[in-house]
Amino acid sequence: MIVVVDLSCEEEAEKSWAKSMATVGFAVVSNHGVPEEVLQNMTKEMKHFFLSKSGADKMKYNYGKYGNPNGGYTKLGTESVSRSLGAETSSAPPDLVENYVILGEHFQNKNAERIGKHDKSLFEAGEAYYSELVKLMEKIHRLSARALGISEDFFTDFYSPPDTSLRLSHYPPLPDKIEDGQMRYGAHTDYTGFTFLYLPDAEACSGLEIFVEGKWKSVTVENLPPHSFIVNIGDLMAYWSGGRWKSTLHRVANPPKNSALAKVDRFSIPFFTGPKLDSV
């Protein structure tokens, strides 16, 4: 359902990318140039933070509601992303996820105060990750511009610098009691530009679903290349394309109760990108 776009094959990549964005708004990118060691180190530090620290230690990095200007930690059962869809979902139950966010501006304009608000190991791994993901974002922007038939550098000024958010997500094993309609991450669309999703473990591939042709479908990728990214577009990019490309509703569904997947931790690393905030 979702195709693999090999960035080392420029002409073929342009065709596959344009078709994927126009039909489902999702694609897998391989041969992207992000060093494996950067991905592995980010994964290692993320797992250490979520699995080794106590709840009290993690809460030292909580600075208020999810989406606050300092980023940081949000505990399990706090966020409910489906509520972003409007009145019909305003009472959606909380998601079964805890997360840690580092905003791009904290990497762009480092100072002691900003660095001090973050777990040191996460910030250092995140800084290397951020640097590489911005390079990948720029590659995708050039590819997208060619696919849309506009100047290859069209997006450059709008994203100098980009407005980004690095989110580290941990979905613990499913609890015994789950509210009606509660899931690991509720249905939503992303809001701005491209999202780059890294799934470090095979278990992480389970549960991701997209809403196409009037129904929920599991994201399946045959022969998923190792260390690849799942990339999708947000609402702003769909608008920017003149409606040619789709911002698709998606979610992380729960695995069957008492299944093997329900008993393991799931991790994911979405990297959200958008234009600088004063773009017009």
Side-chain angles (χ1 to χ4, degrees):
M1 180 172 55
I2 295 180
V3 302
V4 177
V5 177
D6 184 346
L7 296 185
S8 67
C9 304
E10 190 170 294
E11 185 175 343
E12 186 60 36
E14 185 178 324
K15 295 177 182 177
S16 298
W17 185 254
K19 183 177 180 180
S20 295
M21 294 299 105
T23 52
V24 295
F26 275 76
V28 172
V29 296
S30 64
N31 289 317
H32 44 66
V34 178
E36 183 178 337
E37 63 184 83
V38 171
L39 300 175
Q40 291 178 338
N41 193 42
M42 187 76 264
T43 299
K44 176 176 70 91
E45 297 301 341
M46 171 180 64
K47 290 184 176 182
H48 176 78
F49 180 86
F50 286 125
L51 299 180
S52 299
K53 290 185 180 294
S54 68
D57 282 342
K58 288 185 281 190
M59 283 300 292
K60 292 176 182 177
Y61 301 100
N62 175 265
Y63 301 108
K65 293 182 178 180
Y66 180 81
N68 76 81
N70 291 311
Y73 175 72
T74 300
K75 69 179 182 179
L76 183 72
T78 301
E79 188 184 3
S80 181
V81 70
S82 285
R83 295 178 188 176
S84 64
L85 296 177
E88 291 185 3
T89 57
S90 61
S91 60
D95 300 317
L96 299 170
V97 64
E98 60 177 342
N99 62 70
Y100 191 106
V101 169
I102 308 177
L103 302 176
E105 63 184 273
H106 290 194
F107 297 126
Q108 297 160 4
N109 303 300
K110 286 193 303 181
N111 58 46
E113 181 181 0
R114 280 180 165 168
I115 295 173
K117 288 183 179 295
H118 290 288
D119 176 86
K120 183 175 183 292
S121 296
L122 281 185
F123 190 88
E124 290 176 351
E127 187 172 21
Y129 193 91
Y130 167 84
S131 178
E132 294 296 334
L133 265 290
V134 168
K135 295 176 187 176
L136 176 56
M137 177 199 73
E138 292 169 346
K139 289 182 184 179
I140 293 299
H141 283 171
R142 293 191 292 271
L143 174 64
S144 298
R146 295 195 302 271
L148 289 167
I150 56 180
S151 172
E152 190 176 73
D153 63 355
F154 175 84
F155 296 105
T156 301
D157 287 345
F158 295 106
Y159 284 79
S160 298
D163 180 44
T164 70
S165 177
L166 170 60
R167 174 184 164 119
L168 311 171
S169 300
H170 172 224
Y171 305 84
L174 291 184
D176 293 332
K177 294 183 179 180
I178 298 175
E179 296 182 42
D180 289 343
Q182 190 175 30
M183 58 183 59
R184 282 183 154 171
Y185 209 55
H188 65 286
T189 58
D190 294 343
Y191 312 135
T192 54
F194 290 106
T195 299
F196 297 81
L197 176 65
Y198 181 62
L199 302 175
D201 306 306
E203 292 85 356
C205 293
S206 67
L208 181 59
E209 297 180 343
I210 61 176
F211 194 73
V212 291
E213 299 175 347
K215 63 180 68 174
W216 286 104
K217 295 184 178 182
S218 297
V219 171
T220 55
V221 183
E222 293 185 6
N223 302 316
L224 181 67
H227 311 300
S228 53
F229 286 88
I230 297 176
V231 183
N232 67 283
I233 67 170
D235 301 335
L236 175 62
M237 189 61 72
Y239 179 83
W240 222 338
S241 75
R244 293 162 61 184
W245 291 357
K246 295 183 178 181
S247 177
T248 302
L249 204 64
H250 53 286
R251 67 185 186 183
V252 181
N254 299 333
K257 191 174 182 179
N258 297 322
S259 66
L261 288 174
K263 300 174 183 178
V264 299
D265 297 277
R266 181 186 191 273
F267 297 91
S268 69
I269 308 176
F271 183 75
F272 302 100
T273 69
K276 57 187 179 183
L277 297 179
D278 60 355
S279 294
V280 292

